[in-house]
Amino acid sequence: MELRPILSALLRNKTGAVLVGLQIALTLAVVANAAFIIMQRIERIHRPTGMDTDNLIFVETYGFGPAYDQRDTARRDLDIICSTPGVVAASPINPVPLSGAGSMSSFLREPGPERGVNASIYSIDEHGIEALGLKLVEGRSFNEQEIQYTSDPSASDFVPSVIITRDFAKALFGDESALGKNVYDGLGRSAVVVGIVDHMLGWVHWDTPTRILLQPRIASPPKLQYVVRVEPGSRDALIAELERKLADLNPNRAVTAVRPHDYYIERTYRVDNRMVAFLSVIVVLMISVTALGIVGLASFYVNVRRKQIGTRRAVGARRIDIIRYFMVENWLLTTGGALIGAVLAFAFGQWLSSAYALPRLEPMYVVVGVVLLWILGLAAVFVPARRAAAIPPAIATRTV
């Protein structure tokens, strides 16, 4: 089949062809970038946390009154929590990982004016590694003698020992082993690395959420939080039981929250989930409107070419020839729109990258988008093409 007659026919009715071609181009530009952002958000949401997230419960309490003793409260709470059937381990913690809250500081391998490496800071006790379900790959957990109890909320003393993640160790010490080395804070105070955990996610809104420093410290009053790791399948039942036991234990504090880790993760990624849903709707709408535009244009061409189609049928054209004609015509139209759309997609992706600090659009998304538009165009035009092929040869004589 020669392409010149098809191109000539398109140019004779170029208004509709240009509009649909521009619609295809705009669809490719928007859908390719939207799909790229959706996949980035999905990968971000489903990153491994490094913790036993499915079996973690976080408890939050507030003490009040002159009789409130933070250290004694923590000891009694942990005794009753750990004695509850189904509990694997428990530890005070501050803050809750992946909760959207946290603190960060800069640390160095040598004291001095050099720029340090940023890391999120979490406070736990000697059972914290087990309670979080972290994988200790080098060294040891904290021991009871290392745990510090602070009473001053404004205190910023550095601890004598820390446990860090593998990513933080690599960022600070490179390929050297960090175990046993000193880590220095901005004031030149040092702490010894006594353990290294494989992986942990902290505050995901920072660029380096896997750089974590764990310190052996119990938070200052009045807030006290615990992480409780439970046996698989017992989490939901234990939430109500632990809340009841802790509320009855101490009249000088209020149990304000007993929640699964999933609650905090869902809240942290809520914006990402909403963006995925919003962009998915945009993609579906753009593809649907484009498909309707292709169907509408093909149906219009069938109606205005009824005589020509009947004439071709009268001189021996088969039905498959008519269908192939409309298929090739639509493929040319889609290809033209896709070429313009590819340029727009990369230009739009470059603007998003510079304006919102996003990664640049990967070419694979444009290539896949072009292939999908070809398939969409051929599928959309198939029904009008079959209707055109059904036009009888006698129609050529009825309009003479």
Side-chain angles (χ1 to χ4, degrees):
M1 177 181 292
E2 294 187 8
L3 299 181
R4 183 176 297 177
I6 300 176
L7 292 173
S8 299
L10 283 174
L11 292 176
R12 283 196 298 270
N13 299 279
K14 58 185 177 181
T15 302
V18 168
L19 290 177
V20 173
L22 290 177
Q23 186 177 13
I24 292 171
L26 183 60
T27 297
L28 178 60
V30 173
V31 168
N33 283 278
F36 181 53
I37 295 174
I38 287 172
M39 291 306 299
Q40 283 187 315
R41 297 290 174 166
I42 291 175
E43 290 177 4
R44 171 187 169 95
I45 292 169
H46 292 95
R47 287 178 297 183
T49 66
M51 297 168 278
D52 189 13
T53 292
D54 293 338
N55 300 305
L56 294 186
I57 299 172
F58 287 88
V59 180
E60 181 181 285
T61 72
Y62 277 87
F64 54 87
Y68 177 72
D69 185 325
Q70 181 95 325
R71 184 167 185 171
D72 180 67
T73 299
R75 179 185 59 78
R76 295 170 61 195
D77 285 348
L78 290 171
D79 286 344
I80 197 168
I81 290 173
C82 293
S83 64
T84 302
V87 172
V88 176
S91 167
I93 189 169
N94 185 52
V96 175
L98 292 165
S99 65
S103 62
M104 181 189 70
S105 188
S106 183
F107 300 94
L108 304 97
R109 60 181 297 171
E110 299 283 349
E114 293 83 5
R115 184 177 180 180
V117 177
N118 293 331
S120 304
I121 304 171
Y122 292 89
S123 299
I124 57 174
D125 71 2
E126 67 270 24
H127 303 292
I129 299 297
E130 184 183 6
L132 287 168
L134 297 173
K135 181 181 179 182
L136 191 67
V137 293
E138 291 186 65
R140 60 173 176 84
S141 297
F142 298 125
N143 56 52
E144 188 176 357
Q145 290 71 35
E146 292 172 312
I147 309 303
Q148 296 182 349
Y149 290 82
T150 61
S151 57
D152 182 5
S154 62
S156 60
D157 295 337
F158 202 29
V159 291
S161 57
V162 294
I163 297 173
I164 61 177
T165 58
R166 194 197 296 270
D167 284 348
F168 182 41
K170 185 173 181 60
L172 199 59
F173 296 100
D175 294 330
E176 300 177 22
S177 174
L179 191 64
K181 288 187 169 60
N182 287 331
V183 173
Y184 294 87
D185 67 3
L187 299 177
R189 299 172 298 188
S190 66
V192 178
V193 178
V194 299
I196 299 173
V197 296
D198 182 41
H199 175 72
M200 178 181 173
L201 274 184
W203 197 20
V204 297
H205 301 297
W206 285 334
D207 294 334
T208 54
T210 58
R211 296 179 184 175
I212 307 293
L213 181 142
L214 300 163
Q215 60 181 6
R217 176 174 288 170
I218 307 299
S220 58
K223 187 176 181 179
L224 189 57
Q225 293 173 303
Y226 305 104
V227 53
V228 183
R229 185 180 173 201
V230 301
E231 295 175 355
S234 62
R235 185 190 66 183
D236 295 341
L238 284 174
I239 287 176
E241 183 177 354
L242 291 176
E243 184 172 11
R244 176 182 55 80
K245 284 185 175 182
L246 293 175
D248 295 340
L249 184 63
N250 190 341
N252 294 310
R253 62 92 183 276
V255 179
T256 55
V258 183
R259 299 187 177 109
H261 200 195
D262 293 341
Y263 168 85
Y264 298 97
I265 294 176
E266 188 280 328
R267 189 175 64 176
T268 295
Y269 288 122
R270 188 171 295 166
V271 173
D272 297 287
N273 280 309
R274 289 176 177 174
M275 180 170 288
V276 168
F278 173 75
L279 291 178
S280 298
V281 171
I282 294 297
V283 168
V284 171
L285 288 176
M286 291 288 291
I287 292 176
S288 300
V289 171
T290 300
L292 290 174
I294 294 173
V295 171
L297 182 64
S299 298
F300 171 76
Y301 283 161
V302 170
N303 289 331
V304 300
R305 296 172 182 171
R306 292 177 65 84
K307 180 178 178 180
Q308 292 91 330
I309 294 170
T311 301
R312 288 196 62 192
R313 295 279 286 120
V315 297
R318 300 168 299 172
R319 291 193 175 191
I320 188 64
D321 297 326
I322 304 300
I323 293 176
R324 185 167 61 245
Y325 177 92
F326 279 95
M327 290 288 189
V328 173
E329 182 181 62
N330 177 263
W331 181 83
L332 290 173
L333 181 62
T334 303
T335 301
L339 291 175
I340 299 173
V343 176
L344 292 177
F346 285 114
F348 187 33
Q350 177 64 32
W351 176 78
L352 288 174
S353 177
S354 59
Y356 298 100
L358 296 174
R360 292 188 179 182
L361 176 66
E362 296 179 5
M364 177 190 69
Y365 286 86
V366 177
V367 173
V368 172
V370 171
V371 173
L372 290 179
L373 281 175
W374 278 338
I375 296 173
L376 173 68
L378 294 176
V381 81
F382 183 70
V383 173
R386 285 191 61 188
R387 191 167 68 249
I391 295 175
I395 198 72
T397 60
R398 293 178 187 173
T399 55
V400 173

